Amino acid sequence: MAKQLVVQTVNLTKNYDKTTVVDRLNLRIEEGDIFGFLGPNGAGKTTTILMLLGLTEPTSGTAHIYGYNSTREPLKVKRITGYVPERVGFYDDLTASYNLAYTARLNGLPEELVIKRVGESLDIVGLSPVAEQRVGEFSRGMKQRLAIADILVKTPKVAILDEPTSGIDPEGIVQMLDMIAEIAKERNMTIIMCSHQLYQVQRICNRVGMLVNGKLVIEGLLDQLGREALGGGRVRIEIKLAKTTSKLVDCVKRIKGVVSVERSGDLLLITCQDDLRAKIAKAIVDANGLLIEMKIQKYALEDIYRKYFREA
Amino acid sequence: MQGMMTVFYKELADHFNSWRGIILFITVLLVSIFATIGPSGALENIRAQLETPVQYGAGQYAFLYLFTTSGEDLPSFLWFITRFLVPIVGIVLGLDAINGEKNSGTLSRLLAQPIYRDAVINGKFLAGVVTIAIMLTTTILIISAIGFNVLGIAPSSEEIARLLLFWGTSILYGAFWLGLAMLFSVYFRPVATSAISSLGIWMFFSFFMSMAARLTANMLAPMSQTPTTPELLKNVGVQITASRFSPIMLFGEASTVLLAPGERTAAEMLQLYHASGARWMPGPLTLGQTLLTIWPHLATIGGLTALLFAISYIRFMREEIRST
Ligand SMILES: Nc1ncnc2c1ncn2[C@@H]1O[C@H](COP(=O)(O)OP(=O)(O)OP(=O)(O)O)[C@@H](O)[C@H]1O
Ligand SMILES: [Mg+2]
């Protein structure tokens, strides 16, 4: 069954004076996707997003969200699209709940629903205890979470997040992204997310697109891309042993298909041609090793990124 | 519409909950009350003059004197309102209307909601106008109460009508300054720049306009060493026309005609002179004559405000909104 197309751009182009910032972009994002929008600084990601939301006009080409033209029917687009801008801001003198209530009212929510929805949203992002605190007193991370709550208040079908994790500590990033992924799944929300945190994008996105100098150099499902990019796909397996000995390392190395084994502390990083988890586990047990943990990463988004960035 | 009202209510609440709004309000109240009852303020002067009623046309507009009489060393309430209070309130309420939200990164979020862009600019403008109206209403009511209690005079129905007209005119005048400040807040990103721009224009009109008008007049209608009457009249005529480019002058004339129907502005005297050759002062203008006299002034201030607003609109409606 074909999924509904959520975002579609046709030859979307933006010029500033003479320089082309977004160049004939053709994007297709389907319902339920979590789309990682990647690219180096100045690639044109934010500009593309602004055109999707009707916050700036394309020089040529069109952008549609759920079939609505972003330039000509911006209100219809904005009714179903949530947006967290790059450097999200709130009214510092007002409380968190007042800020969110304003968003709710601007979306035409009936007054009896406003308070309820605001409370729920703050609860989900864990900001209920500071609901009545002025946003000016919030830390960067709290503001980013408030921005997610701001989207929840609206309950859109699509959420566009422009670097929602910038300025958050590593622990916070993981929490934040897990939260986003969970919300997306629960509410069947389509997510478009710009980020420079490749490892993090890989954790939650199923589809990525990479923009370099305004051109989409690669786009598709993450699994597929990984396989293509890394030539049939090498697999990286990470295992943790109770005690790592060189004897164990040797016996892993001897398994057919294993390309290399690296030791880093308690961890063994194994690169191989296939998913050899079963064989590796057996080899270790046979050699009387104690296997604590085993993880597989089919490829690293970073590798894909590097490859295409270099080519572009 | 619903979007505009939401913006309006929030902005209105902000004006009255922020220190900026509170300080403005207190300033307006204190200055106005002080001009009325301060030592050697209007009240003392009026009391002295009411005792010699002959001088003041039998105290026909005694209640209005409250607003127009100056004290020994203090200008009148009307002077403060014209030159200082209304322009400053209008400018301060509007100087960071749009660029403030750009700088704090809230405009991106605001415009990502399903509202038309003009809802933002309209809602903010309306909130500013209503704030000005509330401040003026309170001030006028307080001064009236003082007059009523201390002097024991009540306004006649004509005086009430004149006060209401003055009230409306001052709101329009405030809307002009608000529109000017909002225009700069659309055009300039740094709040300091937009603030200085509107304040600069206010200062020019307030302090240098009469000089500029005099220079223009001397250039266009030069006078000899011992000017003849036609020469003098021509010069003054050009001066008046030139100074009417200033909204301060326009409002000043209109409100003087409204609140001091017995007095004559220079422009009126010139008009009367041309019309009838009369050199004597005729009696006070009736309400109808007053309206006829001030109508062009009101239309000009209103037109200027609409123009400022239109320019802001054109710029704001198609502008790219980036959060960084
Ligand atoms: N108003 C403007 N006028 C001229 N050029 C602009 C304007 N706004 C952005 N640009 C240029 O457009 C290019 C793309 O900018 P954009 O913000 O879309 O990049 P980005 O991919 O979001 O980068 P980042 O990862 O740093 O956020 C940049 O080179 C920038 O200099
Ligand atoms: Mg960007």
Side-chain angles (χ1 to χ4, degrees), chain B residues 63-78:
Chain B
F63 198 77
L64 296 182
Y65 296 160
L66 274 172
F67 301 92
T68 57
T69 309
S70 49
E72 292 281 296
D73 350 272
L74 265 184
S76 64
F77 166 77
L78 185 56

Side-chain angles (χ1 to χ4, degrees), chain A residues 127-196:
Chain A
L127 287 177
S128 300
V130 289
E132 298 311 320
Q133 210 164 306
R134 287 172 56 247
V135 178
E137 294 159 7
F138 279 22
S139 71
R140 179 78 186 263
M142 287 161 90
K143 280 187 195 167
Q144 300 279 40
R145 274 192 282 161
L146 189 59
I148 302 295
D150 191 52
I151 284 200
L152 290 175
V153 160
K154 190 171 178 175
T155 55
K157 291 184 175 173
V158 197
I160 301 181
L161 318 173
D162 200 345
E163 300 188 28
T165 54
S166 66
I168 308 186
D169 61 70
E171 186 84 359
I173 292 179
V174 175
Q175 279 178 9
M176 177 79 138
L177 291 175
D178 285 349
M179 190 168 77
I180 292 171
E182 202 181 300
I183 290 166
K185 204 168 149 205
E186 254 172 38
R187 314 199 173 195
N188 194 25
M189 207 188 272
T190 308
I191 307 260
I192 297 165
M193 188 175 82
C194 280
S195 180
H196 293 294

Side-chain angles (χ1 to χ4, degrees), chain B residues 230-250:
Chain B
E231 257 180 5
L232 193 70
L233 284 174
K234 195 168 170 224
N235 185 281
V236 173
V238 175
Q239 240 183 77
I240 290 170
T241 312
S243 60
R244 279 201 181 137
F245 281 97
S246 156
I248 296 183
M249 182 68 175
L250 284 172

Side-chain angles (χ1 to χ4, degrees), chain B residues 100-116:
Chain B
E101 295 227 16
K102 275 185 197 160
N103 295 333
S104 69
T106 45
L107 192 62
S108 291
R109 236 167 22 84
L110 184 56
L111 291 180
Q113 309 309 329
I115 55 168
Y116 289 106

Side-chain angles (χ1 to χ4, degrees), chain B residues 3 23 26 35 48 64 83 106 109 122 140 155 159 166 169 172 201 209 222-223 232 244 248 288-289 324:
Chain B
I23 290 169
I26 292 176
L64 296 182
R83 288 297 172 105
T106 45
R109 236 167 22 84
N122 290 344
I140 293 175
E159 281 176 316
F166 167 73
T169 310
L172 182 67
I201 288 191
M209 191 62 197
M223 291 189 292
L232 193 70
R244 279 201 181 137
I248 296 183
Q289 286 171 319
T324 44

Side-chain angles (χ1 to χ4, degrees), chain A residues 40-47 49 86 162-163 194 196, chain B residues 322 324:
Chain A
N41 291 127
K45 304 178 297 289
T46 302
T47 311
I49 288 176
E86 209 166 351
D162 200 345
E163 300 188 28
C194 280
H196 293 294
Chain B
R322 244 174 221 274
T324 44

